[in-house]
Every structure is written in structure tokens, then in C-alpha cells.
Amino acid sequence: MEGKDISVVLVDEAVQVVREASEFDSLEALKQYVVEDLLPQNSKQVRKRYAAILAKRLFVDDPYFDESSENPLRTPLIESAKHLSDDSLKSVIFYHYALSNKVLSTVLEDFFAPKLNDIDSITKSDLEDFFETKEIGNEERTTKDILRCFTQFDLIEKADGDEGRYLLSGNRSLPAFVYSLHHELGEPQMYFVEDIQGSLTRRAGLFNDETLQEFIYDGWNADVWEYSFISDMEQVKLRYTPEDISSELAELSESGVENGVPR
């Protein structure tokens, strides 16, 4: 299955790349900087491979990246990152990883999503069994890679006294949720809550229905979108495009809204 490069996590490096991307005028110039100055690996070939992986996840596979534009690195991700804390940015980057990586998106959609309302932990053996059904090959190694990725992004944590079990901690950043939802849905129009329940944004945050509803209310209370309940159907109306949402994220940060609640 495409996406086995999930073994290359590079969380801190991805944060730094996103933070510094606006200083460069092309993706090639940014990649050269990553190879020559940012990555610490001794092998230049390894650094080139890692730089290419980061470029793919953060730019090439981003539908809002246009290499032919006048300012190709001024994507919603790069502009929004200016107004996100490191923790929120990590959550946003995980969403982009999932958007880009087939193994990661499959785990979120087929392994986690069906059970998010029913579990608060997973086991290593459950994940290995899942990969066997996908005929992915080297299930043990892929399981280790996925667990390390989720752990480094603070989405899961090892359970005390129960080796092989991991607790779901999930993404609890309202600014990250606001960014990802706008990036995924795209158009400032009305959406049913069912659309959001089936979104990558929801899966990448490991939200159960209750937590998702809380985030929808938090965004409504922060005046980021409209919320209505009409004819037994809950609806959210986005007001902003992905390109415009960065200014709203700035207001969220200034108002002290982080991790879903006012600080």
C-alpha cells in the first residue's frame, strides 16, 4: 500500500519547515534549505529523501498549493501557521500528513473511525490484526510505525501498567479544528453536521461524537461559523474560505481560545 514512508515522522522538523516556508520563493529553494541546514542526518541522500517527503506532505499533496503561482508557498497552511501555537500547528500538520499518506488515512478511516464512540484505548495486537486484513505486509513493523507516529503527535499515549495498550488522547485544539475543517470543506456555505462527522478533520482529531459537538459549539460561540438546528437537522454555515481563515485564527489566539476552551 502506498504510504509506507509513515515511518519517517519528523514532527519537529515539519513544524520548523512550516514556520520558515514564507521566507523562500519556491519549493525547491525550501527543500534545499531543509537538506543543507535543517536536517541533522549525516547522509545527504537520506536528507534529500526526508526533504522530499516533507515537501510532499506539506505542499505537493495540498490542493491549495500551486507551484506556478506568484507566491507558491503562501498557502492557507503557511499563512494560518503564523497564528497557531506549536501544539495547534502539530495537530494541523497531522491532518496534512493524513491527507497525503494512504496508510495513515486508511488507519484513521477503517480502524479508528468505526469505534471512536465506543473506545478510549487501543492495543498493539488489534492494530496488527487490522493490518493483516489489509494485506499490507510486515504488519508488525507497520504497527510500530503507526504507533510511533500517533504517539509523537500526542494523539495516543502508553497506558500505565498495561504494555501494548495505548490511551486515546486526541487533538484538543479549537484553532486546529477550525483550520482543518475550512481546509477540507473549502467553500463558505452550509454543511450538515453529518458531513463533519464523516470528515478527515474529525478522524484526524480522533473525536467521538460528543467531543465533535463540543468543538462545533465552541466554534459557534467564537463566532467562526453559524450553527442552526432546522427540521431535526443540525447545520453549520462556514463564513470563510481556507485562504481567509488565517485572520480568524489570529482573533481566536488573541481572545485566548485554545484547546477548545478559553484560557
Side-chain angles (χ1 to χ4, degrees), residues 82-106:
K82 299 173 183 177
H83 309 295
L84 296 172
S85 69
D86 282 353
D87 285 343
S88 291
L89 182 53
K90 282 173 62 175
S91 297
V92 163
I93 287 171
F94 182 79
Y95 160 81
H96 276 270
Y97 274 30
L99 190 66
S100 171
N101 186 278
K102 182 63 175 177
V103 171
L104 188 53
S105 64
T106 298

mmCIF file with all atom_site columns, all heavy atoms in Angstrom, residues 82-106:
data_model
loop_
_atom_site.group_PDB
_atom_site.id
_atom_site.type_symbol
_atom_site.label_atom_id
_atom_site.label_alt_id
_atom_site.label_comp_id
_atom_site.label_asym_id
_atom_site.label_entity_id
_atom_site.label_seq_id
_atom_site.pdbx_PDB_ins_code
_atom_site.Cartn_x
_atom_site.Cartn_y
_atom_site.Cartn_z
_atom_site.occupancy
_atom_site.B_iso_or_equiv
_atom_site.pdbx_formal_charge
_atom_site.auth_seq_id
_atom_site.auth_comp_id
_atom_site.auth_asym_id
_atom_site.auth_atom_id
_atom_site.pdbx_PDB_model_num
ATOM 1   N N   . LYS A 1 82  ? 1.083  31.139 11.138 1.00 0.00 ? 82  LYS A N   1
ATOM 2   C CA  . LYS A 1 82  ? 1.572  32.339 11.821 1.00 0.00 ? 82  LYS A CA  1
ATOM 3   C C   . LYS A 1 82  ? 0.751  32.646 13.065 1.00 0.00 ? 82  LYS A C   1
ATOM 4   O O   . LYS A 1 82  ? 1.214  33.381 13.945 1.00 0.00 ? 82  LYS A O   1
ATOM 5   C CB  . LYS A 1 82  ? 1.537  33.532 10.856 1.00 0.00 ? 82  LYS A CB  1
ATOM 6   C CG  . LYS A 1 82  ? 2.417  33.360 9.622  1.00 0.00 ? 82  LYS A CG  1
ATOM 7   C CD  . LYS A 1 82  ? 2.205  34.496 8.621  1.00 0.00 ? 82  LYS A CD  1
ATOM 8   C CE  . LYS A 1 82  ? 3.020  34.298 7.358  1.00 0.00 ? 82  LYS A CE  1
ATOM 9   N NZ  . LYS A 1 82  ? 2.764  35.363 6.349  1.00 0.00 ? 82  LYS A NZ  1
ATOM 10  N N   . HIS A 1 83  ? -0.467 32.108 13.131 1.00 0.00 ? 83  HIS A N   1
ATOM 11  C CA  . HIS A 1 83  ? -1.371 32.423 14.235 1.00 0.00 ? 83  HIS A CA  1
ATOM 12  C C   . HIS A 1 83  ? -1.685 31.194 15.096 1.00 0.00 ? 83  HIS A C   1
ATOM 13  O O   . HIS A 1 83  ? -2.646 31.218 15.864 1.00 0.00 ? 83  HIS A O   1
ATOM 14  C CB  . HIS A 1 83  ? -2.670 33.006 13.677 1.00 0.00 ? 83  HIS A CB  1
ATOM 15  C CG  . HIS A 1 83  ? -2.453 34.122 12.714 1.00 0.00 ? 83  HIS A CG  1
ATOM 16  N ND1 . HIS A 1 83  ? -1.894 35.330 13.088 1.00 0.00 ? 83  HIS A ND1 1
ATOM 17  C CD2 . HIS A 1 83  ? -2.684 34.204 11.375 1.00 0.00 ? 83  HIS A CD2 1
ATOM 18  C CE1 . HIS A 1 83  ? -1.812 36.115 12.020 1.00 0.00 ? 83  HIS A CE1 1
ATOM 19  N NE2 . HIS A 1 83  ? -2.273 35.459 10.978 1.00 0.00 ? 83  HIS A NE2 1
ATOM 20  N N   . LEU A 1 84  ? -0.885 30.137 14.948 1.00 0.00 ? 84  LEU A N   1
ATOM 21  C CA  . LEU A 1 84  ? -1.115 28.913 15.702 1.00 0.00 ? 84  LEU A CA  1
ATOM 22  C C   . LEU A 1 84  ? 0.029  28.651 16.676 1.00 0.00 ? 84  LEU A C   1
ATOM 23  O O   . LEU A 1 84  ? 1.193  28.869 16.340 1.00 0.00 ? 84  LEU A O   1
ATOM 24  C CB  . LEU A 1 84  ? -1.239 27.713 14.754 1.00 0.00 ? 84  LEU A CB  1
ATOM 25  C CG  . LEU A 1 84  ? -2.425 27.700 13.788 1.00 0.00 ? 84  LEU A CG  1
ATOM 26  C CD1 . LEU A 1 84  ? -2.287 26.546 12.807 1.00 0.00 ? 84  LEU A CD1 1
ATOM 27  C CD2 . LEU A 1 84  ? -3.742 27.598 14.555 1.00 0.00 ? 84  LEU A CD2 1
ATOM 28  N N   . SER A 1 85  ? -0.307 28.173 17.864 1.00 0.00 ? 85  SER A N   1
ATOM 29  C CA  . SER A 1 85  ? 0.730  27.706 18.785 1.00 0.00 ? 85  SER A CA  1
ATOM 30  C C   . SER A 1 85  ? 1.384  26.454 18.208 1.00 0.00 ? 85  SER A C   1
ATOM 31  O O   . SER A 1 85  ? 0.856  25.834 17.262 1.00 0.00 ? 85  SER A O   1
ATOM 32  C CB  . SER A 1 85  ? 0.110  27.368 20.139 1.00 0.00 ? 85  SER A CB  1
ATOM 33  O OG  . SER A 1 85  ? -0.703 26.218 20.029 1.00 0.00 ? 85  SER A OG  1
ATOM 34  N N   . ASP A 1 86  ? 2.518  26.061 18.753 1.00 0.00 ? 86  ASP A N   1
ATOM 35  C CA  . ASP A 1 86  ? 3.185  24.858 18.270 1.00 0.00 ? 86  ASP A CA  1
ATOM 36  C C   . ASP A 1 86  ? 2.303  23.627 18.431 1.00 0.00 ? 86  ASP A C   1
ATOM 37  O O   . ASP A 1 86  ? 2.269  22.757 17.554 1.00 0.00 ? 86  ASP A O   1
ATOM 38  C CB  . ASP A 1 86  ? 4.517  24.644 19.000 1.00 0.00 ? 86  ASP A CB  1
ATOM 39  C CG  . ASP A 1 86  ? 5.627  25.540 18.479 1.00 0.00 ? 86  ASP A CG  1
ATOM 40  O OD1 . ASP A 1 86  ? 5.416  26.231 17.460 1.00 0.00 ? 86  ASP A OD1 1
ATOM 41  O OD2 . ASP A 1 86  ? 6.716  25.551 19.085 1.00 0.00 ? 86  ASP A OD2 1
ATOM 42  N N   . ASP A 1 87  ? 1.584  23.532 19.543 1.00 0.00 ? 87  ASP A N   1
ATOM 43  C CA  . ASP A 1 87  ? 0.708  22.379 19.751 1.00 0.00 ? 87  ASP A CA  1
ATOM 44  C C   . ASP A 1 87  ? -0.412 22.339 18.715 1.00 0.00 ? 87  ASP A C   1
ATOM 45  O O   . ASP A 1 87  ? -0.734 21.276 18.167 1.00 0.00 ? 87  ASP A O   1
ATOM 46  C CB  . ASP A 1 87  ? 0.104  22.416 21.159 1.00 0.00 ? 87  ASP A CB  1
ATOM 47  C CG  . ASP A 1 87  ? 1.108  22.026 22.230 1.00 0.00 ? 87  ASP A CG  1
ATOM 48  O OD1 . ASP A 1 87  ? 2.151  21.432 21.889 1.00 0.00 ? 87  ASP A OD1 1
ATOM 49  O OD2 . ASP A 1 87  ? 0.848  22.326 23.420 1.00 0.00 ? 87  ASP A OD2 1
ATOM 50  N N   . SER A 1 88  ? -1.023 23.490 18.444 1.00 0.00 ? 88  SER A N   1
ATOM 51  C CA  . SER A 1 88  ? -2.074 23.535 17.432 1.00 0.00 ? 88  SER A CA  1
ATOM 52  C C   . SER A 1 88  ? -1.509 23.238 16.051 1.00 0.00 ? 88  SER A C   1
ATOM 53  O O   . SER A 1 88  ? -2.134 22.533 15.251 1.00 0.00 ? 88  SER A O   1
ATOM 54  C CB  . SER A 1 88  ? -2.752 24.905 17.433 1.00 0.00 ? 88  SER A CB  1
ATOM 55  O OG  . SER A 1 88  ? -3.503 25.097 18.609 1.00 0.00 ? 88  SER A OG  1
ATOM 56  N N   . LEU A 1 89  ? -0.321 23.756 15.772 1.00 0.00 ? 89  LEU A N   1
ATOM 57  C CA  . LEU A 1 89  ? 0.287  23.518 14.471 1.00 0.00 ? 89  LEU A CA  1
ATOM 58  C C   . LEU A 1 89  ? 0.613  22.041 14.276 1.00 0.00 ? 89  LEU A C   1
ATOM 59  O O   . LEU A 1 89  ? 0.452  21.501 13.173 1.00 0.00 ? 89  LEU A O   1
ATOM 60  C CB  . LEU A 1 89  ? 1.548  24.369 14.310 1.00 0.00 ? 89  LEU A CB  1
ATOM 61  C CG  . LEU A 1 89  ? 2.281  24.254 12.961 1.00 0.00 ? 89  LEU A CG  1
ATOM 62  C CD1 . LEU A 1 89  ? 1.330  24.511 11.796 1.00 0.00 ? 89  LEU A CD1 1
ATOM 63  C CD2 . LEU A 1 89  ? 3.461  25.217 12.916 1.00 0.00 ? 89  LEU A CD2 1
ATOM 64  N N   . LYS A 1 90  ? 1.052  21.374 15.322 1.00 0.00 ? 90  LYS A N   1
ATOM 65  C CA  . LYS A 1 90  ? 1.300  19.931 15.230 1.00 0.00 ? 90  LYS A CA  1
ATOM 66  C C   . LYS A 1 90  ? 0.023  19.194 14.837 1.00 0.00 ? 90  LYS A C   1
ATOM 67  O O   . LYS A 1 90  ? 0.060  18.264 14.011 1.00 0.00 ? 90  LYS A O   1
ATOM 68  C CB  . LYS A 1 90  ? 1.837  19.394 16.564 1.00 0.00 ? 90  LYS A CB  1
ATOM 69  C CG  . LYS A 1 90  ? 3.297  19.681 16.799 1.00 0.00 ? 90  LYS A CG  1
ATOM 70  C CD  . LYS A 1 90  ? 3.739  19.276 18.190 1.00 0.00 ? 90  LYS A CD  1
ATOM 71  C CE  . LYS A 1 90  ? 3.597  17.807 18.451 1.00 0.00 ? 90  LYS A CE  1
ATOM 72  N NZ  . LYS A 1 90  ? 4.133  17.404 19.771 1.00 0.00 ? 90  LYS A NZ  1
ATOM 73  N N   . SER A 1 91  ? -1.095 19.594 15.411 1.00 0.00 ? 91  SER A N   1
ATOM 74  C CA  . SER A 1 91  ? -2.364 18.959 15.064 1.00 0.00 ? 91  SER A CA  1
ATOM 75  C C   . SER A 1 91  ? -2.728 19.213 13.611 1.00 0.00 ? 91  SER A C   1
ATOM 76  O O   . SER A 1 91  ? -3.222 18.317 12.912 1.00 0.00 ? 91  SER A O   1
ATOM 77  C CB  . SER A 1 91  ? -3.475 19.482 15.986 1.00 0.00 ? 91  SER A CB  1
ATOM 78  O OG  . SER A 1 91  ? -3.220 19.141 17.328 1.00 0.00 ? 91  SER A OG  1
ATOM 79  N N   . VAL A 1 92  ? -2.487 20.422 13.139 1.00 0.00 ? 92  VAL A N   1
ATOM 80  C CA  . VAL A 1 92  ? -2.749 20.762 11.747 1.00 0.00 ? 92  VAL A CA  1
ATOM 81  C C   . VAL A 1 92  ? -1.841 19.953 10.816 1.00 0.00 ? 92  VAL A C   1
ATOM 82  O O   . VAL A 1 92  ? -2.279 19.452 9.770  1.00 0.00 ? 92  VAL A O   1
ATOM 83  C CB  . VAL A 1 92  ? -2.551 22.280 11.526 1.00 0.00 ? 92  VAL A CB  1
ATOM 84  C CG1 . VAL A 1 92  ? -2.397 22.610 10.054 1.00 0.00 ? 92  VAL A CG1 1
ATOM 85  C CG2 . VAL A 1 92  ? -3.716 23.051 12.133 1.00 0.00 ? 92  VAL A CG2 1
ATOM 86  N N   . ILE A 1 93  ? -0.593 19.814 11.188 1.00 0.00 ? 93  ILE A N   1
ATOM 87  C CA  . ILE A 1 93  ? 0.352  19.057 10.367 1.00 0.00 ? 93  ILE A CA  1
ATOM 88  C C   . ILE A 1 93  ? -0.055 17.591 10.294 1.00 0.00 ? 93  ILE A C   1
ATOM 89  O O   . ILE A 1 93  ? 0.047  16.952 9.232  1.00 0.00 ? 93  ILE A O   1
ATOM 90  C CB  . ILE A 1 93  ? 1.786  19.217 10.908 1.00 0.00 ? 93  ILE A CB  1
ATOM 91  C CG1 . ILE A 1 93  ? 2.293  20.623 10.590 1.00 0.00 ? 93  ILE A CG1 1
ATOM 92  C CG2 . ILE A 1 93  ? 2.730  18.162 10.329 1.00 0.00 ? 93  ILE A CG2 1
ATOM 93  C CD1 . ILE A 1 93  ? 3.603  20.984 11.259 1.00 0.00 ? 93  ILE A CD1 1
ATOM 94  N N   . PHE A 1 94  ? -0.555 17.032 11.399 1.00 0.00 ? 94  PHE A N   1
ATOM 95  C CA  . PHE A 1 94  ? -1.027 15.646 11.356 1.00 0.00 ? 94  PHE A CA  1
ATOM 96  C C   . PHE A 1 94  ? -2.168 15.504 10.355 1.00 0.00 ? 94  PHE A C   1
ATOM 97  O O   . PHE A 1 94  ? -2.240 14.514 9.615  1.00 0.00 ? 94  PHE A O   1
ATOM 98  C CB  . PHE A 1 94  ? -1.473 15.185 12.741 1.00 0.00 ? 94  PHE A CB  1
ATOM 99  C CG  . PHE A 1 94  ? -1.923 13.746 12.765 1.00 0.00 ? 94  PHE A CG  1
ATOM 100 C CD1 . PHE A 1 94  ? -0.995 12.718 12.803 1.00 0.00 ? 94  PHE A CD1 1
ATOM 101 C CD2 . PHE A 1 94  ? -3.280 13.427 12.736 1.00 0.00 ? 94  PHE A CD2 1
ATOM 102 C CE1 . PHE A 1 94  ? -1.409 11.391 12.806 1.00 0.00 ? 94  PHE A CE1 1
ATOM 103 C CE2 . PHE A 1 94  ? -3.691 12.103 12.739 1.00 0.00 ? 94  PHE A CE2 1
ATOM 104 C CZ  . PHE A 1 94  ? -2.756 11.084 12.774 1.00 0.00 ? 94  PHE A CZ  1
ATOM 105 N N   . TYR A 1 95  ? -3.080 16.465 10.333 1.00 0.00 ? 95  TYR A N   1
ATOM 106 C CA  . TYR A 1 95  ? -4.152 16.453 9.335  1.00 0.00 ? 95  TYR A CA  1
ATOM 107 C C   . TYR A 1 95  ? -3.570 16.416 7.923  1.00 0.00 ? 95  TYR A C   1
ATOM 108 O O   . TYR A 1 95  ? -4.019 15.645 7.063  1.00 0.00 ? 95  TYR A O   1
ATOM 109 C CB  . TYR A 1 95  ? -5.055 17.674 9.527  1.00 0.00 ? 95  TYR A CB  1
ATOM 110 C CG  . TYR A 1 95  ? -5.887 18.046 8.323  1.00 0.00 ? 95  TYR A CG  1
ATOM 111 C CD1 . TYR A 1 95  ? -7.070 17.393 8.039  1.00 0.00 ? 95  TYR A CD1 1
ATOM 112 C CD2 . TYR A 1 95  ? -5.461 19.065 7.460  1.00 0.00 ? 95  TYR A CD2 1
ATOM 113 C CE1 . TYR A 1 95  ? -7.833 17.733 6.921  1.00 0.00 ? 95  TYR A CE1 1
ATOM 114 C CE2 . TYR A 1 95  ? -6.209 19.412 6.350  1.00 0.00 ? 95  TYR A CE2 1
ATOM 115 C CZ  . TYR A 1 95  ? -7.395 18.742 6.080  1.00 0.00 ? 95  TYR A CZ  1
ATOM 116 O OH  . TYR A 1 95  ? -8.131 19.079 4.970  1.00 0.00 ? 95  TYR A OH  1
ATOM 117 N N   . HIS A 1 96  ? -2.548 17.223 7.668  1.00 0.00 ? 96  HIS A N   1
ATOM 118 C CA  . HIS A 1 96  ? -1.923 17.227 6.338  1.00 0.00 ? 96  HIS A CA  1
ATOM 119 C C   . HIS A 1 96  ? -1.208 15.909 6.050  1.00 0.00 ? 96  HIS A C   1
ATOM 120 O O   . HIS A 1 96  ? -1.231 15.426 4.915  1.00 0.00 ? 96  HIS A O   1
ATOM 121 C CB  . HIS A 1 96  ? -0.963 18.414 6.214  1.00 0.00 ? 96  HIS A CB  1
ATOM 122 C CG  . HIS A 1 96  ? -1.638 19.679 5.818  1.00 0.00 ? 96  HIS A CG  1
ATOM 123 N ND1 . HIS A 1 96  ? -1.811 20.063 4.509  1.00 0.00 ? 96  HIS A ND1 1
ATOM 124 C CD2 . HIS A 1 96  ? -2.220 20.656 6.567  1.00 0.00 ? 96  HIS A CD2 1
ATOM 125 C CE1 . HIS A 1 96  ? -2.455 21.213 4.458  1.00 0.00 ? 96  HIS A CE1 1
ATOM 126 N NE2 . HIS A 1 96  ? -2.712 21.602 5.696  1.00 0.00 ? 96  HIS A NE2 1
ATOM 127 N N   . TYR A 1 97  ? -0.571 15.335 7.048  1.00 0.00 ? 97  TYR A N   1
ATOM 128 C CA  . TYR A 1 97  ? 0.034  14.016 6.876  1.00 0.00 ? 97  TYR A CA  1
ATOM 129 C C   . TYR A 1 97  ? -1.029 13.005 6.448  1.00 0.00 ? 97  TYR A C   1
ATOM 130 O O   . TYR A 1 97  ? -0.821 12.197 5.537  1.00 0.00 ? 97  TYR A O   1
ATOM 131 C CB  . TYR A 1 97  ? 0.671  13.549 8.182  1.00 0.00 ? 97  TYR A CB  1
ATOM 132 C CG  . TYR A 1 97  ? 2.089  14.000 8.431  1.00 0.00 ? 97  TYR A CG  1
ATOM 133 C CD1 . TYR A 1 97  ? 2.577  15.207 7.932  1.00 0.00 ? 97  TYR A CD1 1
ATOM 134 C CD2 . TYR A 1 97  ? 2.948  13.226 9.202  1.00 0.00 ? 97  TYR A CD2 1
ATOM 135 C CE1 . TYR A 1 97  ? 3.874  15.612 8.197  1.00 0.00 ? 97  TYR A CE1 1
ATOM 136 C CE2 . TYR A 1 97  ? 4.257  13.627 9.460  1.00 0.00 ? 97  TYR A CE2 1
ATOM 137 C CZ  . TYR A 1 97  ? 4.711  14.820 8.959  1.00 0.00 ? 97  TYR A CZ  1
ATOM 138 O OH  . TYR A 1 97  ? 6.000  15.222 9.219  1.00 0.00 ? 97  TYR A OH  1
ATOM 139 N N   . ALA A 1 98  ? -2.177 13.028 7.129  1.00 0.00 ? 98  ALA A N   1
ATOM 140 C CA  . ALA A 1 98  ? -3.248 12.079 6.818  1.00 0.00 ? 98  ALA A CA  1
ATOM 141 C C   . ALA A 1 98  ? -3.823 12.326 5.430  1.00 0.00 ? 98  ALA A C   1
ATOM 142 O O   . ALA A 1 98  ? -4.234 11.392 4.734  1.00 0.00 ? 98  ALA A O   1
ATOM 143 C CB  . ALA A 1 98  ? -4.352 12.172 7.873  1.00 0.00 ? 98  ALA A CB  1
ATOM 144 N N   . LEU A 1 99  ? -3.863 13.578 5.025  1.00 0.00 ? 99  LEU A N   1
ATOM 145 C CA  . LEU A 1 99  ? -4.333 13.931 3.692  1.00 0.00 ? 99  LEU A CA  1
ATOM 146 C C   . LEU A 1 99  ? -3.401 13.371 2.627  1.00 0.00 ? 99  LEU A C   1
ATOM 147 O O   . LEU A 1 99  ? -3.819 12.995 1.530  1.00 0.00 ? 99  LEU A O   1
ATOM 148 C CB  . LEU A 1 99  ? -4.403 15.461 3.573  1.00 0.00 ? 99  LEU A CB  1
ATOM 149 C CG  . LEU A 1 99  ? -5.088 16.067 2.353  1.00 0.00 ? 99  LEU A CG  1
ATOM 150 C CD1 . LEU A 1 99  ? -6.577 15.740 2.364  1.00 0.00 ? 99  LEU A CD1 1
ATOM 151 C CD2 . LEU A 1 99  ? -4.875 17.580 2.337  1.00 0.00 ? 99  LEU A CD2 1
ATOM 152 N N   . SER A 1 100 ? -2.124 13.260 2.953  1.00 0.00 ? 100 SER A N   1
ATOM 153 C CA  . SER A 1 100 ? -1.102 12.868 1.984  1.00 0.00 ? 100 SER A CA  1
ATOM 154 C C   . SER A 1 100 ? -0.789 11.381 1.993  1.00 0.00 ? 100 SER A C   1
ATOM 155 O O   . SER A 1 100 ? -0.438 10.820 0.958  1.00 0.00 ? 100 SER A O   1
ATOM 156 C CB  . SER A 1 100 ? 0.197  13.647 2.268  1.00 0.00 ? 100 SER A CB  1
ATOM 157 O OG  . SER A 1 100 ? 1.268  13.170 1.504  1.00 0.00 ? 100 SER A OG  1
ATOM 158 N N   . ASN A 1 101 ? -0.908 10.713 3.163  1.00 0.00 ? 101 ASN A N   1
ATOM 159 C CA  . ASN A 1 101 ? -0.378 9.363  3.320  1.00 0.00 ? 101 ASN A CA  1
ATOM 160 C C   . ASN A 1 101 ? -1.503 8.331  3.338  1.00 0.00 ? 101 ASN A C   1
ATOM 161 O O   . ASN A 1 101 ? -2.380 8.368  4.192  1.00 0.00 ? 101 ASN A O   1
ATOM 162 C CB  . ASN A 1 101 ? 0.437  9.284  4.613  1.00 0.00 ? 101 ASN A CB  1
ATOM 163 C CG  . ASN A 1 101 ? 1.141  7.961  4.768  1.00 0.00 ? 101 ASN A CG  1
ATOM 164 O OD1 . ASN A 1 101 ? 0.550  6.991  5.211  1.00 0.00 ? 101 ASN A OD1 1
ATOM 165 N ND2 . ASN A 1 101 ? 2.415  7.931  4.403  1.00 0.00 ? 101 ASN A ND2 1
ATOM 166 N N   . LYS A 1 102 ? -1.455 7.373  2.416  1.00 0.00 ? 102 LYS A N   1
ATOM 167 C CA  . LYS A 1 102 ? -2.527 6.393  2.264  1.00 0.00 ? 102 LYS A CA  1
ATOM 168 C C   . LYS A 1 102 ? -2.630 5.462  3.461  1.00 0.00 ? 102 LYS A C   1
ATOM 169 O O   . LYS A 1 102 ? -3.740 5.145  3.917  1.00 0.00 ? 102 LYS A O   1
ATOM 170 C CB  . LYS A 1 102 ? -2.304 5.584  0.981  1.00 0.00 ? 102 LYS A CB  1
ATOM 171 C CG  . LYS A 1 102 ? -3.395 4.564  0.696  1.00 0.00 ? 102 LYS A CG  1
ATOM 172 C CD  . LYS A 1 102 ? -4.744 5.229  0.477  1.00 0.00 ? 102 LYS A CD  1
ATOM 173 C CE  . LYS A 1 102 ? -5.790 4.205  0.073  1.00 0.00 ? 102 LYS A CE  1
ATOM 174 N NZ  . LYS A 1 102 ? -7.131 4.834  -0.077 1.00 0.00 ? 102 LYS A NZ  1
ATOM 175 N N   . VAL A 1 103 ? -1.506 4.995  3.991  1.00 0.00 ? 103 VAL A N   1
ATOM 176 C CA  . VAL A 1 103 ? -1.554 4.114  5.153  1.00 0.00 ? 103 VAL A CA  1
ATOM 177 C C   . VAL A 1 103 ? -2.203 4.826  6.332  1.00 0.00 ? 103 VAL A C   1
ATOM 178 O O   . VAL A 1 103 ? -3.080 4.283  7.012  1.00 0.00 ? 103 VAL A O   1
ATOM 179 C CB  . VAL A 1 103 ? -0.149 3.611  5.531  1.00 0.00 ? 103 VAL A CB  1
ATOM 180 C CG1 . VAL A 1 103 ? -0.174 2.884  6.875  1.00 0.00 ? 103 VAL A CG1 1
ATOM 181 C CG2 . VAL A 1 103 ? 0.399  2.683  4.458  1.00 0.00 ? 103 VAL A CG2 1
ATOM 182 N N   . LEU A 1 104 ? -1.784 6.050  6.581  1.00 0.00 ? 104 LEU A N   1
ATOM 183 C CA  . LEU A 1 104 ? -2.315 6.817  7.700  1.00 0.00 ? 104 LEU A CA  1
ATOM 184 C C   . LEU A 1 104 ? -3.805 7.096  7.531  1.00 0.00 ? 104 LEU A C   1
ATOM 185 O O   . LEU A 1 104 ? -4.598 6.927  8.468  1.00 0.00 ? 104 LEU A O   1
ATOM 186 C CB  . LEU A 1 104 ? -1.536 8.123  7.834  1.00 0.00 ? 104 LEU A CB  1
ATOM 187 C CG  . LEU A 1 104 ? -1.817 8.992  9.056  1.00 0.00 ? 104 LEU A CG  1
ATOM 188 C CD1 . LEU A 1 104 ? -1.673 8.198  10.347 1.00 0.00 ? 104 LEU A CD1 1
ATOM 189 C CD2 . LEU A 1 104 ? -0.884 10.200 9.061  1.00 0.00 ? 104 LEU A CD2 1
ATOM 190 N N   . SER A 1 105 ? -4.221 7.488  6.346  1.00 0.00 ? 105 SER A N   1
ATOM 191 C CA  . SER A 1 105 ? -5.640 7.783  6.124  1.00 0.00 ? 105 SER A CA  1
ATOM 192 C C   . SER A 1 105 ? -6.489 6.527  6.241  1.00 0.00 ? 105 SER A C   1
ATOM 193 O O   . SER A 1 105 ? -7.625 6.570  6.739  1.00 0.00 ? 105 SER A O   1
ATOM 194 C CB  . SER A 1 105 ? -5.847 8.437  4.752  1.00 0.00 ? 105 SER A CB  1
ATOM 195 O OG  . SER A 1 105 ? -5.496 7.558  3.703  1.00 0.00 ? 105 SER A OG  1
ATOM 196 N N   . THR A 1 106 ? -5.940 5.376  5.824  1.00 0.00 ? 106 THR A N   1
ATOM 197 C CA  . THR A 1 106 ? -6.668 4.111  5.933  1.00 0.00 ? 106 THR A CA  1
ATOM 198 C C   . THR A 1 106 ? -6.850 3.705  7.386  1.00 0.00 ? 106 THR A C   1
ATOM 199 O O   . THR A 1 106 ? -7.916 3.242  7.796  1.00 0.00 ? 106 THR A O   1
ATOM 200 C CB  . THR A 1 106 ? -5.932 2.999  5.166  1.00 0.00 ? 106 THR A CB  1
ATOM 201 O OG1 . THR A 1 106 ? -5.877 3.336  3.773  1.00 0.00 ? 106 THR A OG1 1
ATOM 202 C CG2 . THR A 1 106 ? -6.646 1.656  5.323  1.00 0.00 ? 106 THR A CG2 1
#
